[in-house]
PDB file of all heavy atoms in Angstrom:
ATOM      1  N   THR A  77      14.109  15.061   5.412  1.00 93.00           N
ATOM      2  CA  THR A  77      13.324  16.034   4.644  1.00 93.00           C
ATOM      3  C   THR A  77      11.852  15.658   4.651  1.00 93.00           C
ATOM      4  O   THR A  77      10.972  16.505   4.885  1.00 93.00           O
ATOM      5  CB  THR A  77      13.845  16.109   3.206  1.00 93.00           C
ATOM      6  OG1 THR A  77      15.179  16.629   3.212  1.00 93.00           O
ATOM      7  CG2 THR A  77      12.959  17.001   2.337  1.00 93.00           C
ATOM      8  N   VAL A  78      11.556  14.384   4.400  1.00 94.00           N
ATOM      9  CA  VAL A  78      10.171  13.921   4.365  1.00 94.00           C
ATOM     10  C   VAL A  78       9.549  13.996   5.751  1.00 94.00           C
ATOM     11  O   VAL A  78       8.412  14.458   5.932  1.00 94.00           O
ATOM     12  CB  VAL A  78      10.094  12.495   3.808  1.00 94.00           C
ATOM     13  CG1 VAL A  78       8.648  11.991   3.837  1.00 94.00           C
ATOM     14  CG2 VAL A  78      10.637  12.443   2.386  1.00 94.00           C
ATOM     15  N   THR A  79      10.297  13.558   6.773  1.00 94.00           N
ATOM     16  CA  THR A  79       9.777  13.576   8.144  1.00 94.00           C
ATOM     17  C   THR A  79       9.437  15.008   8.574  1.00 94.00           C
ATOM     18  O   THR A  79       8.397  15.264   9.193  1.00 94.00           O
ATOM     19  CB  THR A  79      10.795  12.968   9.114  1.00 94.00           C
ATOM     20  OG1 THR A  79      11.061  11.626   8.715  1.00 94.00           O
ATOM     21  CG2 THR A  79      10.273  12.972  10.532  1.00 94.00           C
ATOM     22  N   GLY A  80      10.305  15.938   8.234  1.00 94.00           N
ATOM     23  CA  GLY A  80      10.049  17.329   8.602  1.00 94.00           C
ATOM     24  C   GLY A  80       8.785  17.875   7.956  1.00 94.00           C
ATOM     25  O   GLY A  80       7.990  18.586   8.585  1.00 94.00           O
ATOM     26  N   ALA A  81       8.581  17.562   6.664  1.00 94.00           N
ATOM     27  CA  ALA A  81       7.372  18.023   5.973  1.00 94.00           C
ATOM     28  C   ALA A  81       6.126  17.376   6.581  1.00 94.00           C
ATOM     29  O   ALA A  81       5.103  18.054   6.807  1.00 94.00           O
ATOM     30  CB  ALA A  81       7.471  17.701   4.488  1.00 94.00           C
ATOM     31  N   TYR A  82       6.209  16.062   6.865  1.00 94.00           N
ATOM     32  CA  TYR A  82       5.077  15.369   7.469  1.00 94.00           C
ATOM     33  C   TYR A  82       4.723  15.973   8.834  1.00 94.00           C
ATOM     34  O   TYR A  82       3.547  16.205   9.149  1.00 94.00           O
ATOM     35  CB  TYR A  82       5.410  13.890   7.630  1.00 94.00           C
ATOM     36  CG  TYR A  82       5.147  13.026   6.407  1.00 94.00           C
ATOM     37  CD1 TYR A  82       5.486  11.668   6.409  1.00 94.00           C
ATOM     38  CD2 TYR A  82       4.544  13.539   5.269  1.00 94.00           C
ATOM     39  CE1 TYR A  82       5.243  10.855   5.315  1.00 94.00           C
ATOM     40  CE2 TYR A  82       4.301  12.745   4.165  1.00 94.00           C
ATOM     41  CZ  TYR A  82       4.648  11.399   4.194  1.00 94.00           C
ATOM     42  OH  TYR A  82       4.407  10.608   3.109  1.00 94.00           O
ATOM     43  N   ASP A  83       5.734  16.182   9.661  1.00 94.00           N
ATOM     44  CA  ASP A  83       5.479  16.710  11.009  1.00 94.00           C
ATOM     45  C   ASP A  83       4.757  18.064  10.939  1.00 94.00           C
ATOM     46  O   ASP A  83       3.845  18.338  11.729  1.00 94.00           O
ATOM     47  CB  ASP A  83       6.799  16.876  11.767  1.00 94.00           C
ATOM     48  CG  ASP A  83       7.409  15.547  12.176  1.00 94.00           C
ATOM     49  OD1 ASP A  83       6.693  14.526  12.099  1.00 94.00           O
ATOM     50  OD2 ASP A  83       8.603  15.533  12.558  1.00 94.00           O
ATOM     51  N   ARG A  84       5.151  18.904  10.015  1.00 93.00           N
ATOM     52  CA  ARG A  84       4.517  20.214   9.887  1.00 93.00           C
ATOM     53  C   ARG A  84       3.069  20.075   9.439  1.00 93.00           C
ATOM     54  O   ARG A  84       2.178  20.776   9.931  1.00 93.00           O
ATOM     55  CB  ARG A  84       5.308  21.060   8.891  1.00 93.00           C
ATOM     56  CG  ARG A  84       4.828  22.487   8.746  1.00 93.00           C
ATOM     57  CD  ARG A  84       5.777  23.263   7.856  1.00 93.00           C
ATOM     58  NE  ARG A  84       5.214  24.572   7.497  1.00 93.00           N
ATOM     59  CZ  ARG A  84       5.783  25.413   6.634  1.00 93.00           C
ATOM     60  NH1 ARG A  84       6.933  25.076   6.045  1.00 93.00           N
ATOM     61  NH2 ARG A  84       5.212  26.572   6.364  1.00 93.00           N
ATOM     62  N   LEU A  85       2.796  19.174   8.508  1.00 93.00           N
ATOM     63  CA  LEU A  85       1.444  18.979   8.009  1.00 93.00           C
ATOM     64  C   LEU A  85       0.531  18.386   9.075  1.00 93.00           C
ATOM     65  O   LEU A  85      -0.660  18.735   9.148  1.00 93.00           O
ATOM     66  CB  LEU A  85       1.463  18.084   6.773  1.00 93.00           C
ATOM     67  CG  LEU A  85       2.089  18.730   5.525  1.00 93.00           C
ATOM     68  CD1 LEU A  85       2.531  17.667   4.531  1.00 93.00           C
ATOM     69  CD2 LEU A  85       1.086  19.686   4.868  1.00 93.00           C
ATOM     70  N   VAL A  86       1.085  17.530   9.919  1.00 92.00           N
ATOM     71  CA  VAL A  86       0.300  16.987  11.037  1.00 92.00           C
ATOM     72  C   VAL A  86      -0.016  18.096  12.035  1.00 92.00           C
ATOM     73  O   VAL A  86      -1.148  18.232  12.504  1.00 92.00           O
ATOM     74  CB  VAL A  86       1.075  15.836  11.726  1.00 92.00           C
ATOM     75  CG1 VAL A  86       0.392  15.438  13.040  1.00 92.00           C
ATOM     76  CG2 VAL A  86       1.169  14.625  10.812  1.00 92.00           C
ATOM     77  N   ALA A  87       1.005  18.920  12.336  1.00 91.00           N
ATOM     78  CA  ALA A  87       0.801  20.005  13.298  1.00 91.00           C
ATOM     79  C   ALA A  87      -0.251  20.993  12.820  1.00 91.00           C
ATOM     80  O   ALA A  87      -1.000  21.564  13.628  1.00 91.00           O
ATOM     81  CB  ALA A  87       2.124  20.729  13.546  1.00 91.00           C
ATOM     82  N   GLU A  88      -0.339  21.216  11.502  1.00 89.00           N
ATOM     83  CA  GLU A  88      -1.296  22.182  10.958  1.00 89.00           C
ATOM     84  C   GLU A  88      -2.659  21.574  10.648  1.00 89.00           C
ATOM     85  O   GLU A  88      -3.571  22.287  10.238  1.00 89.00           O
ATOM     86  CB  GLU A  88      -0.723  22.822   9.694  1.00 89.00           C
ATOM     87  CG  GLU A  88       0.506  23.690   9.980  1.00 89.00           C
ATOM     88  CD  GLU A  88       1.078  24.341   8.740  1.00 89.00           C
ATOM     89  OE1 GLU A  88       0.435  24.244   7.659  1.00 89.00           O
ATOM     90  OE2 GLU A  88       2.156  24.939   8.832  1.00 89.00           O
ATOM     91  N   GLY A  89      -2.806  20.250  10.848  1.00 90.00           N
ATOM     92  CA  GLY A  89      -4.116  19.630  10.710  1.00 90.00           C
ATOM     93  C   GLY A  89      -4.444  19.077   9.346  1.00 90.00           C
ATOM     94  O   GLY A  89      -5.559  18.603   9.131  1.00 90.00           O
ATOM     95  N   TYR A  90      -3.479  19.101   8.409  1.00 92.00           N
ATOM     96  CA  TYR A  90      -3.750  18.535   7.091  1.00 92.00           C
ATOM     97  C   TYR A  90      -3.665  17.012   7.107  1.00 92.00           C
ATOM     98  O   TYR A  90      -4.378  16.340   6.366  1.00 92.00           O
ATOM     99  CB  TYR A  90      -2.760  19.080   6.052  1.00 92.00           C
ATOM    100  CG  TYR A  90      -2.897  20.556   5.796  1.00 92.00           C
ATOM    101  CD1 TYR A  90      -2.053  21.478   6.411  1.00 92.00           C
ATOM    102  CD2 TYR A  90      -3.889  21.047   4.945  1.00 92.00           C
ATOM    103  CE1 TYR A  90      -2.183  22.839   6.185  1.00 92.00           C
ATOM    104  CE2 TYR A  90      -4.030  22.405   4.709  1.00 92.00           C
ATOM    105  CZ  TYR A  90      -3.167  23.302   5.348  1.00 92.00           C
ATOM    106  OH  TYR A  90      -3.299  24.645   5.123  1.00 92.00           O
ATOM    107  N   LEU A  91      -2.787  16.478   7.936  1.00 94.00           N
ATOM    108  CA  LEU A  91      -2.607  15.032   8.066  1.00 94.00           C
ATOM    109  C   LEU A  91      -2.898  14.613   9.499  1.00 94.00           C
ATOM    110  O   LEU A  91      -2.809  15.426  10.433  1.00 94.00           O
ATOM    111  CB  LEU A  91      -1.176  14.628   7.691  1.00 94.00           C
ATOM    112  CG  LEU A  91      -0.661  15.038   6.305  1.00 94.00           C
ATOM    113  CD1 LEU A  91       0.755  14.511   6.101  1.00 94.00           C
ATOM    114  CD2 LEU A  91      -1.595  14.532   5.203  1.00 94.00           C
ATOM    115  N   ALA A  92      -3.239  13.343   9.653  1.00 93.00           N
ATOM    116  CA  ALA A  92      -3.491  12.787  10.980  1.00 93.00           C
ATOM    117  C   ALA A  92      -2.731  11.473  11.110  1.00 93.00           C
ATOM    118  O   ALA A  92      -2.704  10.664  10.168  1.00 93.00           O
ATOM    119  CB  ALA A  92      -4.984  12.571  11.193  1.00 93.00           C
ATOM    120  N   ALA A  93      -2.110  11.277  12.261  1.00 91.00           N
ATOM    121  CA  ALA A  93      -1.351  10.044  12.517  1.00 91.00           C
ATOM    122  C   ALA A  93      -2.229   9.060  13.288  1.00 91.00           C
ATOM    123  O   ALA A  93      -2.875   9.433  14.280  1.00 91.00           O
ATOM    124  CB  ALA A  93      -0.087  10.352  13.311  1.00 91.00           C
ATOM    125  N   ARG A  94      -2.267   7.796  12.807  1.00 91.00           N
ATOM    126  CA  ARG A  94      -3.000   6.746  13.502  1.00 91.00           C
ATOM    127  C   ARG A  94      -1.974   5.751  14.034  1.00 91.00           C
ATOM    128  O   ARG A  94      -1.176   5.205  13.254  1.00 91.00           O
ATOM    129  CB  ARG A  94      -3.965   6.035  12.566  1.00 91.00           C
ATOM    130  CG  ARG A  94      -5.051   6.935  11.993  1.00 91.00           C
ATOM    131  CD  ARG A  94      -5.949   6.146  11.055  1.00 91.00           C
ATOM    132  NE  ARG A  94      -6.881   7.020  10.343  1.00 91.00           N
ATOM    133  CZ  ARG A  94      -7.693   6.585   9.388  1.00 91.00           C
ATOM    134  NH1 ARG A  94      -7.662   5.288   9.022  1.00 91.00           N
ATOM    135  NH2 ARG A  94      -8.521   7.428   8.783  1.00 91.00           N
ATOM    136  N   PRO A  95      -1.974   5.508  15.320  1.00 88.00           N
ATOM    137  CA  PRO A  95      -0.984   4.581  15.894  1.00 88.00           C
ATOM    138  C   PRO A  95      -1.023   3.231  15.200  1.00 88.00           C
ATOM    139  O   PRO A  95      -2.080   2.664  14.951  1.00 88.00           O
ATOM    140  CB  PRO A  95      -1.426   4.475  17.360  1.00 88.00           C
ATOM    141  CG  PRO A  95      -2.170   5.755  17.630  1.00 88.00           C
ATOM    142  CD  PRO A  95      -2.853   6.086  16.341  1.00 88.00           C
ATOM    143  N   ALA A  96       0.171   2.756  14.846  1.00 85.00           N
ATOM    144  CA  ALA A  96       0.371   1.442  14.222  1.00 85.00           C
ATOM    145  C   ALA A  96      -0.234   1.336  12.829  1.00 85.00           C
ATOM    146  O   ALA A  96      -0.237   0.264  12.226  1.00 85.00           O
ATOM    147  CB  ALA A  96      -0.192   0.318  15.109  1.00 85.00           C
ATOM    148  N   SER A  97      -0.761   2.446  12.297  1.00 88.00           N
ATOM    149  CA  SER A  97      -1.360   2.392  10.957  1.00 88.00           C
ATOM    150  C   SER A  97      -0.671   3.319   9.968  1.00 88.00           C
ATOM    151  O   SER A  97      -0.643   3.035   8.775  1.00 88.00           O
ATOM    152  CB  SER A  97      -2.854   2.743  11.023  1.00 88.00           C
ATOM    153  OG  SER A  97      -3.549   1.790  11.798  1.00 88.00           O
ATOM    154  N   GLY A  98      -0.163   4.437  10.430  1.00 91.00           N
ATOM    155  CA  GLY A  98       0.530   5.350   9.535  1.00 91.00           C
ATOM    156  C   GLY A  98      -0.120   6.728   9.484  1.00 91.00           C
ATOM    157  O   GLY A  98      -0.857   7.130  10.387  1.00 91.00           O
ATOM    158  N   LEU A  99       0.171   7.464   8.401  1.00 93.00           N
ATOM    159  CA  LEU A  99      -0.334   8.820   8.210  1.00 93.00           C
ATOM    160  C   LEU A  99      -1.465   8.820   7.193  1.00 93.00           C
ATOM    161  O   LEU A  99      -1.392   8.136   6.162  1.00 93.00           O
ATOM    162  CB  LEU A  99       0.783   9.743   7.712  1.00 93.00           C
ATOM    163  CG  LEU A  99       1.785  10.266   8.739  1.00 93.00           C
ATOM    164  CD1 LEU A  99       2.840  11.087   8.030  1.00 93.00           C
ATOM    165  CD2 LEU A  99       1.093  11.108   9.796  1.00 93.00           C
ATOM    166  N   PHE A 100      -2.482   9.660   7.459  1.00 94.00           N
ATOM    167  CA  PHE A 100      -3.644   9.750   6.586  1.00 94.00           C
ATOM    168  C   PHE A 100      -4.010  11.220   6.411  1.00 94.00           C
ATOM    169  O   PHE A 100      -3.769  12.055   7.288  1.00 94.00           O
ATOM    170  CB  PHE A 100      -4.838   8.992   7.184  1.00 94.00           C
ATOM    171  CG  PHE A 100      -4.605   7.523   7.320  1.00 94.00           C
ATOM    172  CD1 PHE A 100      -3.869   7.019   8.380  1.00 94.00           C
ATOM    173  CD2 PHE A 100      -5.115   6.637   6.379  1.00 94.00           C
ATOM    174  CE1 PHE A 100      -3.648   5.644   8.512  1.00 94.00           C
ATOM    175  CE2 PHE A 100      -4.902   5.276   6.507  1.00 94.00           C
ATOM    176  CZ  PHE A 100      -4.157   4.768   7.563  1.00 94.00           C
ATOM    177  N   VAL A 101      -4.628  11.510   5.276  1.00 92.00           N
ATOM    178  CA  VAL A 101      -5.215  12.840   5.101  1.00 92.00           C
ATOM    179  C   VAL A 101      -6.321  12.999   6.138  1.00 92.00           C
ATOM    180  O   VAL A 101      -7.098  12.065   6.375  1.00 92.00           O
ATOM    181  CB  VAL A 101      -5.781  13.024   3.679  1.00 92.00           C
ATOM    182  CG1 VAL A 101      -6.480  14.379   3.532  1.00 92.00           C
ATOM    183  CG2 VAL A 101      -4.670  12.885   2.651  1.00 92.00           C
ATOM    184  N   ALA A 102      -6.407  14.146   6.781  1.00 92.00           N
ATOM    185  CA  ALA A 102      -7.408  14.373   7.821  1.00 92.00           C
ATOM    186  C   ALA A 102      -8.807  14.081   7.292  1.00 92.00           C
ATOM    187  O   ALA A 102      -9.157  14.481   6.180  1.00 92.00           O
ATOM    188  CB  ALA A 102      -7.323  15.806   8.328  1.00 92.00           C
ATOM    189  N   GLU A 103      -9.605  13.385   8.091  1.00 87.00           N
ATOM    190  CA  GLU A 103     -10.927  12.953   7.642  1.00 87.00           C
ATOM    191  C   GLU A 103     -11.929  14.103   7.582  1.00 87.00           C
ATOM    192  O   GLU A 103     -12.947  13.998   6.898  1.00 87.00           O
ATOM    193  CB  GLU A 103     -11.461  11.856   8.569  1.00 87.00           C
ATOM    194  CG  GLU A 103     -10.674  10.561   8.471  1.00 87.00           C
ATOM    195  CD  GLU A 103     -11.342   9.444   9.242  1.00 87.00           C
ATOM    196  OE1 GLU A 103     -12.597   9.459   9.312  1.00 87.00           O
ATOM    197  OE2 GLU A 103     -10.632   8.575   9.766  1.00 87.00           O
ATOM    198  N   ASP A 104     -11.672  15.198   8.305  1.00 81.00           N
ATOM    199  CA  ASP A 104     -12.665  16.274   8.333  1.00 81.00           C
ATOM    200  C   ASP A 104     -12.474  17.272   7.188  1.00 81.00           C
ATOM    201  O   ASP A 104     -13.093  18.335   7.167  1.00 81.00           O
ATOM    202  CB  ASP A 104     -12.642  17.018   9.670  1.00 81.00           C
ATOM    203  CG  ASP A 104     -11.265  17.542  10.028  1.00 81.00           C
ATOM    204  OD1 ASP A 104     -10.315  17.316   9.244  1.00 81.00           O
ATOM    205  OD2 ASP A 104     -11.122  18.173  11.101  1.00 81.00           O
ATOM    206  N   MET A 105     -11.611  16.929   6.205  1.00 75.00           N
ATOM    207  CA  MET A 105     -11.463  17.778   5.035  1.00 75.00           C
ATOM    208  C   MET A 105     -12.677  17.603   4.125  1.00 75.00           C
ATOM    209  O   MET A 105     -13.064  16.471   3.823  1.00 75.00           O
ATOM    210  CB  MET A 105     -10.185  17.417   4.249  1.00 75.00           C
ATOM    211  CG  MET A 105      -8.918  17.799   4.966  1.00 75.00           C
ATOM    212  SD  MET A 105      -8.731  19.586   5.038  1.00 75.00           S
ATOM    213  CE  MET A 105      -7.255  19.705   6.067  1.00 75.00           C
TER     214      MET A 105
END
Side-chain angles (χ1 to χ4, degrees):
T77 295
V78 177
T79 301
Y82 275 176
D83 288 347
R84 185 174 170 186
L85 291 159
V86 170
E88 294 181 8
Y90 294 99
L91 304 182
R94 298 179 188 174
S97 297
L99 281 177
F100 297 80
V101 176
E103 292 188 32
D104 55 359
M105 290 291 175

